Amino acid sequence: MKLSVIGCGYLGAAHAAAMASIGHEVIGIDVDQRKIDALAKGEPPFFEPGLAEILAEGIASGRLRFTTDLADAADATVHFVGVGTPQQKDGYAADLTSVNAAVDALLPYLTEGDIVAGKSTVPVGTAAVLAERVSPTGATLVWNPEFLREGWAVEDTIDPDRLVAGVPAGDEGERAASVLREVYHPSVAKGTPFIVTDYATAELVKVAANAFLATKISFINAMAEISEATGADVTQLADAIGYDARIGRRFLGAGIGFGGGCLPKDIRAFAARAEELGRGESVAFLRQVDEINMRRRDRAVQLVVDGLGGSPFKKNITVLGAAFKPHSDDIRDSPGLDVAVRLHGLGAWVTITDPAAIDNAQRIHPQLNYVHDRDDALRGADAVIVVTEWDEYRRELSPDHATALATGRVIVDGRNCLDAAAWRAAGWNYYGMGRP
Ligand code: UGA
């Protein structure tokens, strides 16, 4: 099939390349010339494992092209819209400027029977409004939310857990759903659940999923706070409750909390939309989810300060990690980078390293000292804090090796990812999050 993908960020670029890899002819479109130039050369403009390979494959096959010219979408019959919906600058609601602009710009190129598939995360009610603009062209709007995780984008796009299609009622909706089934043929053929529903449900599935994940993380971080008050160990607690299949261990990783371009802004936009609907109280707990999450950053800063005997002033602090999570170079709302900036604000000399995110972090926070080599970053440190659980820090950094480089013996484990006993045995003062 001929597809267009409008918006080539983390979501769109992965979607375009993945769709070409399953055999479709795809044109990726973005207003950012630099991004398009890189993608057209087969170079992902961001770090995403596996993306370079399927980009190169798609371009070599002739099935995958990139352009800034929306007119090139005219040949396609299914148009995916995957542009960003960031938090508004002056509030918690989602900024829909790019989604509205992308759909409006696409209208002149739509023909009878085309499908416009919205993938961006939007406030419930958006699709119904957009459908009114699309329908005079004879095309049909469907809402087809995306659940990919950064770092696993290729895998999640090619082989998702489920597919969701919000469609209009009646024959038009049925036809649109069957076109989407054809687009996702390999997944449908292997039995991946394909849920056909209305617009509002499809939009809500996406925000509800992210709200649930954020709640799960803040739940365990709340237990970390209680553990800190009682001497309990939240990691053992998470293991023990996680064995209950109804609870499950995934997303019960206590630490400095969630960040990134999705969870934080999605729970805020959801709460803002619920307020607009007069149902603010239904998701009032999301405010606490957010607050618990932000408190963990305070706690991490406090642990470093305590470890240093009460003041980080003129102390060398090495921060291991900058990305909001491993296998990504994304620093949007990165809790670890926030902790680094706060320590700098307290007068510490902060050195920060990361296998993928240094360039992005340096652009936004040039005041920190960035070092590419992990060992160079550790040299002379009075205290070390792990904020992103990359293998380079979690598995490949032995306490003895760190001992040879650092000056101090303070290690704060912001992701509860280190072997506490091994660090203690090597003479370090180990501080976990919610662990004695
Ligand atoms: C999230 C969702 O997991 C995806 O399903 C969704 O498609 C995506 O948002 C989106 O809306 O586009 P992502 O932002 O890539 O994906 O990251 P996650 O893997 O969900 O991690 C989010 C944050 O939670 C990270 O900062 C991570 O370190 C943190 N986290 C995760 C914890 O603090 N504890 C955990 O146990 C798990």
Side-chain angles (χ1 to χ4, degrees), residues 266-281:
D266 286 356
I267 60 167
R268 291 173 183 175
F270 192 11
R273 183 66 184 132
E275 288 283 349
E276 286 170 8
L277 294 167
R279 290 288 186 276
E281 74 270 25

Side-chain angles (χ1 to χ4, degrees), residues 38-49:
L39 286 165
K41 282 189 271 175
E43 295 165 7
F46 44 80
F47 180 91
E48 185 59 56

Side-chain angles (χ1 to χ4, degrees), residues 147-148 150 206 210 217 251 253 258-259 262 324-325 415:
F147 304 99
L148 68 80
E150 283 178 28
K206 170 68 197 196
N210 276 1
I217 298 167
F251 274 68
F258 59 81
C262 303
F324 83 106
K325 67 172 191 181
R415 294 292 183 181

Side-chain angles (χ1 to χ4, degrees), residues 234-254:
V234 75
T235 59
Q236 286 190 315
L237 182 148
D239 289 344
I241 63 172
Y243 284 120
D244 184 331
R246 294 170 303 172
I247 296 173
R249 181 63 172 83
R250 293 174 77 186
F251 274 68
L252 287 182

Side-chain angles (χ1 to χ4, degrees), residues 122-141:
V122 293
V124 55
T126 306
V129 176
L130 293 175
E132 283 177 24
R133 289 197 229 161
V134 167
S135 75
T137 65
T140 300
L141 182 86

